[in-house]
Structure formats: C-alpha cells, structure tokens
Amino acid sequence: MSGSFTDEQIRRYSRQIILPEVGGKGQKKLLASKVLVLGAGGLGSSAIAYLAAAGVGTLGIVDDDLVEVSNLQRQIIHGGNIGLFKAKSAENFVRSLNSDVDVVTYQERFSAKNAGKIIQDYDFVVDGSDNYPTHYLINDACVLEKKPCSHGSILRYEGYATTTIPQKGPCYRCIFKKPPPPGLIPNCQEAGVFGVLPGIIGNIQASEVLKYILGIGELLAGRLLCFNALDMSFFEAAAEKRMDCAVCGDWPLITKIEQKNYRENNSEECGL
Amino acid sequence: MTEELDLRGEVCPYTFVKTKLRLEELDSGQDLTILLDDSAATANVSRSLRSEGHEILDLKALSGEVWQIVVKKNEIDLQ
C-alpha cells in the first residue's frame, strides 16, 4: 500500500500518476469526483469509456433509449447489447473496465421535471445529447444549479465542443442564442455521421472533465472548438458572455426550469 | 527522521510510481531512503526524481544486488 491506493490501483493508474500535474493527489481527486453523462450515444460512449478508465469515482449515466444495431457504427461501448437499455449497457461496459467506478444509471428521459434533481448530485456535467431542446435544458439546469458542463455536438463530418463554467464566461445560450429554425439543420438519419467523429468530440469533452477535476491546463471556456474530419482541421471561435442572455444575463427571463422552454420538435430527433 | 521505502522485487515504472506516492506523504525537506535491486531501475528512479525537482543526496550500491537512493523532497506544485 502507498497512501490509500491498493497495489492494483497503483498499477492501473500508473501512467497518469507519473504525470507531474496529476500524481497521487490528482488521482485521489478523480476517484472522489462525480460526473454526469447525459446520453450514452456516440459522444457519451467515448466520454464514458475514458472517464471510467481514468478512475472518475462516480459516473451518472442518463439515457432512455435501447441499443439498436444502427448505433454500433459509432457507439462503441454497446457491443453485444442490442435491445438492452443504453444506460444498462454502458454500466456493464464500465463495470468490466474499472470496478473502482460507481455507476448510477437513469433509464429515463432527461426532462424539465428531473433535470435539477439529477444534476445537483454531480461535480461536472457532460452534454452528449442529440437535439436542441435537450442542449438548452442541460445548459439552463447547469447555469441554475451552478454546475460546469462540457457541451458537444456532431453532424456528418463536423463537430464542436465548448465548456461552460458557472458565473464565468458565456453559457451555451450566450453562444447559441436560439436554436436554428426546424428543418434548417438536417437530422443525422438524413445527414449521416462519420463514425469516428463522436469519438473525437466525446474525447475532447472527457479531456475537459479530467482537466477541470484536476485543476490543470486551459479549458474551452469562452472558446468554441470546431472540428472538420474531412479537412482534418480544427478552428476556434472566441465567445463572450451576453448581458442579455435569457438564463445567465443581467436580467434573466429563465429563473427556473419549466417544460414550456424546451418543447420537443420531432424533426430534430436524431438518435446520435 | 529518515523514511525508508523498500522496492526490492518491484519493477519499472512502479518503482518510480511508488516512490512518488510515498514522497507525496512527506513534508518538504524530509529525506526518503529507497532500496532497489536493479541498477537500471535505480538509474531511472533517480533521473525521474531529479526531473520532478527533488534532490538526490546519496546514490550507492550496498552490495552487488542492492542499491540505495537517498532523496530530499522539494515541494513542487504543478496543480
């Protein structure tokens, strides 16, 4: 035994304990942390896998979908689990990868009713959702509950990620004031998605989580990092907090989570 | 008082990982005596300790099979 680590933990986490910025102190922070992943789809698959591998102590996983064969082109943690709830399938994956991780599954739709209650138990939220109402719901719940969040989104060959830190810099609504009009952005069943893309963006999100917990490096706060897999290029746009933001501005219109602000629009459903 | 860490039987990179974890528990300025049974591991551990900013006070073979490193912890805060 060294410190409070078992010999297996020392071996399992040796490559990151060796990192000068991590060490045993950082590994203990990771093991004590609680991270919520919203959506166990493409983004969630890679985020969940690497957060579990790194030894995040508690992983909450929210998803009400079942695993379908069409998911497996990019949702890499669900192999052999067609027909199972994705949350349960993800839990099985995590348990086989790293028994240090406590998994809490929510086999329910993330909604205005349960958002605040679920989020409040966690230190960091990963937005792996696949539709605009849920992106806004996650953002507003994180602003109101003062939780940091990594947002990600993908379509075809392109994706982006940004990180929001409560009361510091812009939130998702500051960057994307309103969702695009229905029909402007095709859903992924129409448009398709390059299978590696959610792996790349989801791992950028996982990196943000780990850096936040460890207190190291520069986060994507106030920065929208965009990626194009065809060009194999990244570019970054600076984003600022908006004084007139509906949820984090000086005179917010949204002061509590109400369903009317997150109307479902089936044309945007995508099942990424 | 000098702390001692017996790493005989242990291999790289766990020799350094265990050294690093033990050092984290010590106060800055405190000494740690490390015993190893491999010359390559002794060289690796002492090099890694130096690169993290610690001071090697002594490094010697105690016999043909045992090496000893005495290191003084220097506080480094990268977090």
Side-chain angles (χ1 to χ4, degrees), chain A residues 41-47 73-76 152-161 188 191-205 225-234 272:
Chain A
L43 296 169
S45 280
S46 51
Q73 167 249 14
R74 63 204 175 280
Q75 301 181 17
I76 53 159
S153 194
I154 52 166
L155 194 72
R156 290 179 176 147
Y157 297 94
E158 293 174 85
Y160 67 77
C188 79
V193 61
F194 198 40
V196 297
L197 188 62
I200 293 165
I201 300 294
N203 269 320
I204 290 172
Q205 294 182 273
L225 182 65
C226 306
F227 174 65
N228 183 315
L230 274 187
D231 302 342
M232 201 49 81
S233 63
F234 284 93
L272 282 177

Side-chain angles (χ1 to χ4, degrees), chain A residues 211-256:
Chain A
K211 282 158 47 192
Y212 178 86
I213 295 165
L214 293 166
I216 63 174
E218 295 296 323
L219 295 168
L220 285 174
R223 301 158 60 196
L224 185 69
L225 182 65
C226 306
F227 174 65
N228 183 315
L230 274 187
D231 302 342
M232 201 49 81
S233 63
F234 284 93
F235 78 91
E236 193 176 311
E240 288 186 7
K241 187 177 170 74
R242 298 173 67 106
M243 281 166 54
D244 64 345
C245 174
V247 68
C248 79
D250 293 347
W251 303 279
L253 300 170
I254 298 167
T255 55
K256 60 179 178 177

Side-chain angles (χ1 to χ4, degrees), chain B residues 2 5 7 10 12 17 21 25 30 32 35 43 45 52 55 66 70-71 75 79:
Chain B
T2 301
L5 180 62
L7 292 176
E10 190 54 278
C12 290
V17 174
L21 290 171
E25 295 169 6
Q30 226 177 326
L32 177 67
L35 297 177
V45 168
E52 289 215 349
E55 192 180 336
V66 182
V70 182
V71 61
E75 198 60 70
Q79 298 197 6

Side-chain angles (χ1 to χ4, degrees), chain A residues 18 28 90 202 254 262:
Chain A
I18 284 175
K28 281 176 192 164
I254 298 167
Y262 316 100

Side-chain angles (χ1 to χ4, degrees), chain A residues 56-76:
Chain A
V56 164
T58 303
L59 269 181
I61 301 170
V62 185
D63 203 306
D64 69 337
D65 275 345
L66 302 175
V67 178
E68 296 176 30
V69 70
S70 64
N71 301 146
L72 300 180
Q73 167 249 14
R74 63 204 175 280
Q75 301 181 17
I76 53 159

